[in-house]
Amino acid sequence: MNKDKIRVALADDQPLVREGFRYVINAQPDMTVSGEAGDGHGIIALAKQTKPDVILMDVQMPHCSGIEAAKDIMSTLPYTKIVILTTFDTEEYVFEGIRAGAVGYLLKDTLPEELIDAIRAAARGEAIFRTATAAKIISETFRSKQQTQAEELAEPFTKRELEVLQQMAYGLRNEEIAKKLFVSESTVKTHVHRILQKCNAQDRTQAVVFAIRNGIVQ
């Protein structure tokens, strides 16, 4: 197997859906399907065994939902990119997907070329939330909380914290940020901790959304 290819795992309880995704993905010169699972427990085990670059994850699956599976996988494989791919464009699923650590949320009627572009973007660490509800969640879910946070942000970010926050907005992980800014990973972790404190954010997603809405990063 070419190690330069993006390794994509599929999680969907419908074999025909997986077959369609597999055909489209394996037809690309820069990616390959590294494994498939029909339920949440199956994709958790598969992910831990094969460590794919990107997982296309359905939401509703037997025994363990895609959201619960995503949480489990992200707890042990933080560098794996999870893209939720579902028929349900609901606020609950979008929000829970973001909270679980997914970097993308797409509908199953997405065009093949858009799906391929999304996989490549996810592999680069970019966020892909391309549904009407996802756009609404990103712009409105934390609106009232962010307005309060902006008023309470008495201590400004340092220059280095702003640099780290910008890289977080690009979707980079601590290790990647450390390499890009030529600092240690422990230093980045310290900056991220301080950023979360200053934003009064519970996680990286909230901090990035706060920063974008307040014009701190792009």
Side-chain angles (χ1 to χ4, degrees), residues 2-45:
N2 191 334
K3 292 183 179 180
D4 293 332
K5 288 189 175 183
I6 301 170
R7 300 171 65 252
V8 184
L10 306 177
D12 197 293
D13 62 340
Q14 300 182 42
L16 286 178
V17 171
R18 297 200 307 271
E19 181 177 353
F21 291 156
R22 186 193 325 122
Y23 177 83
V24 171
I25 293 169
N26 283 338
Q28 308 308 309
D30 60 339
M31 59 184 67
T32 184
V33 173
S34 60
E36 303 177 25
D39 59 50
H41 292 314
I43 191 60
I44 291 172

Side-chain angles (χ1 to χ4, degrees), residues 60-157:
Q60 290 192 348
M61 294 187 292
H63 312 304
C64 174
S65 73
I67 300 299
E68 291 303 315
K71 291 178 182 178
D72 189 300
I73 292 169
M74 293 307 298
S75 69
T76 56
L77 299 172
Y79 296 106
T80 294
K81 312 302 182 183
I82 296 177
V83 176
I84 299 295
L85 194 61
T86 180
T87 57
F88 303 97
D89 190 18
T90 67
E91 291 190 12
E92 178 184 1
Y93 283 153
V94 174
F95 181 76
E96 290 301 321
I98 293 173
R99 295 285 292 175
V103 300
Y105 193 97
L106 302 175
L107 296 181
K108 286 185 178 179
D109 60 1
T110 297
L111 295 175
E113 55 267 30
E114 293 177 346
L115 174 63
I116 294 304
D117 287 344
I119 293 172
R120 292 188 179 117
R124 293 193 299 267
E126 300 174 11
I128 318 99
F129 293 94
R130 297 173 183 168
T131 74
T133 301
K136 179 181 178 182
I137 289 291
I138 292 296
S139 63
E140 295 182 359
T141 296
F142 301 110
R143 175 173 293 174
S144 60
K145 184 173 183 179
Q146 290 166 351
Q147 290 173 344
T148 301
Q149 288 173 330
E151 295 173 358
E152 296 177 350
L153 191 61
E155 184 180 357
F157 293 116

